[in-house]
Amino acid sequence: MADKLSPEVALRIGLAARALPDTDPKRLMTVLVSALGLPITPTKLGRLKVAKLKAAANEELAEIDNEHLKAALNLLKGIGVNMEASEESLPQTQAYAEGDMPGSIRIACASNHDTRIDGHFGSCARFLVYQVSDSEVRLIDIRSAGQTPDEEDKNIYRAGLIEDCQLLYTVSIGGPAAAKVVRAGLHPVKLPNGGEASELMEELKAVIGTNPPPWLAKVMGVDAEERIRFRQDEEEFA
């Protein structure tokens, strides 16, 4: 059956199987053939629902909880799957737990290549997610933008991928998209010339550790009184 799969579909199935407990691609393939028939195509996978996945092949996957099944289904639909870059070509992330870096903020960087900020919000391949404090920079996650589900607004979907961040660094973002990003709780920063993300994060680290401008102080959660002090300090030393 494998010779009937396109490389894209084979990748989706492999990643989806990895997202399911005690499931290898062969087991998942059996379920998909039962649910969809052959050939298995991106169009068929795009129409698949959790209920059908759970019922197929005599309920082979019925004991797996819905959260795992939803995650696998998203991968089967191509959400979070990037055909252009393998996992090996992407930079390594660093472990992070909440509270590891007191006073830090989280930044999403729109990227298409390696660790460069070179993507537009609405079309970038992935978001590099950095945690930055006044003393440390960590790349804590890489989130593929993937393919937007048919029923969702693209900009809302992408904003949702990074809604735990406080800043968005991007080469470009349109007005309507920026409004949706702001509603998700992020402050968008346009960098038309892009740049190496790690270098820009080091610059941000230095600003956090010295005298952040009021807009950044607000993002960092500094109270209004302290933000006024920052503004006064800027005027004094201008």
Side-chain angles (χ1 to χ4, degrees), residues 94-104 131 133 135-136 138 140:
Q94 295 174 273
Y96 175 79
E98 294 299 335
D100 278 356
M101 298 167 61
S104 64
Q131 198 77 22
S133 71
S135 60
E136 187 178 358
R138 290 190 205 176
I140 64 169

Side-chain angles (χ1 to χ4, degrees), residues 7 16 20 55 63 67 93-94 100-102 104 106 115 122 130 158-159 166 199 204 218 222 226 228 231:
L20 295 171
E63 294 184 0
E67 289 305 309
T93 58
Q94 295 174 273
D100 278 356
M101 298 167 61
S104 64
R106 190 167 300 168
T115 56
Y130 287 87
R158 285 177 171 249
Q166 286 79 50
E199 294 176 3
L204 180 62
K218 182 178 181 181
V222 177
E226 284 297 294
I228 291 171
R231 185 178 297 111

Side-chain angles (χ1 to χ4, degrees), residues 13-74:
I13 291 173
L15 293 174
R18 194 185 302 173
L20 295 171
D22 303 317
T23 301
D24 59 17
K26 184 177 179 180
R27 182 189 187 197
L28 181 56
M29 186 68 183
T30 299
V31 173
L32 292 174
V33 170
S34 172
L36 304 174
L38 289 173
I40 295 175
T41 66
T43 299
K44 286 183 179 179
L45 290 173
R47 295 171 181 161
L48 189 60
K49 305 292 184 184
V50 168
K52 191 168 186 178
L53 190 63
K54 210 164 188 176
N58 296 317
E59 300 186 336
E60 172 70 20
L61 303 180
E63 294 184 0
I64 297 178
D65 65 72
N66 279 0
E67 289 305 309
H68 281 101
L69 289 172
K70 287 177 183 177
L73 188 60
N74 281 339

Side-chain angles (χ1 to χ4, degrees), residues 58-220:
N58 296 317
E59 300 186 336
E60 172 70 20
L61 303 180
E63 294 184 0
I64 297 178
D65 65 72
N66 279 0
E67 289 305 309
H68 281 101
L69 289 172
K70 287 177 183 177
L73 188 60
N74 281 339
L75 291 166
L76 290 170
K77 292 173 183 282
I79 300 169
V81 177
N82 178 24
M83 288 294 293
E84 295 181 0
S86 67
E87 292 180 3
E88 289 76 15
S89 70
L90 295 175
Q92 291 292 314
T93 58
Q94 295 174 273
Y96 175 79
E98 294 299 335
D100 278 356
M101 298 167 61
S104 64
I105 58 174
R106 190 167 300 168
I107 302 92
C109 302
S111 177
N112 290 316
H113 303 96
D114 302 320
T115 56
R116 287 196 58 78
I117 299 173
D118 59 359
H120 299 250
F121 171 73
S123 61
C124 64
R126 65 191 66 85
F127 295 101
L128 309 172
V129 180
Y130 287 87
Q131 198 77 22
V132 180
S133 71
D134 62 357
S135 60
E136 187 178 358
V137 173
R138 290 190 205 176
L139 174 63
I140 64 169
D141 202 4
I142 299 174
R143 300 174 188 173
S144 175
Q147 181 179 346
T148 307
D150 292 339
E151 66 276 10
E152 289 194 44
D153 176 275
K154 178 181 70 174
N155 293 323
I156 292 177
Y157 169 73
R158 285 177 171 249
L161 292 175
I162 54 175
E163 62 184 357
D164 60 326
C165 301
Q166 286 79 50
L167 294 178
L168 165 67
Y169 278 21
T170 179
V171 168
S172 178
I173 183 170
K180 290 168 184 175
V181 165
V182 170
R183 279 200 292 272
L186 290 90
H187 181 98
V189 178
K190 288 198 286 187
L191 302 169
N193 296 323
E196 176 61 35
S198 58
E199 294 176 3
L200 290 164
M201 295 304 105
E202 287 293 333
E203 292 177 7
L204 180 62
K205 181 182 80 170
V207 172
I208 290 175
T210 54
N211 192 21
W215 69 266
L216 181 55
K218 182 178 181 181
V219 168
M220 293 166 59

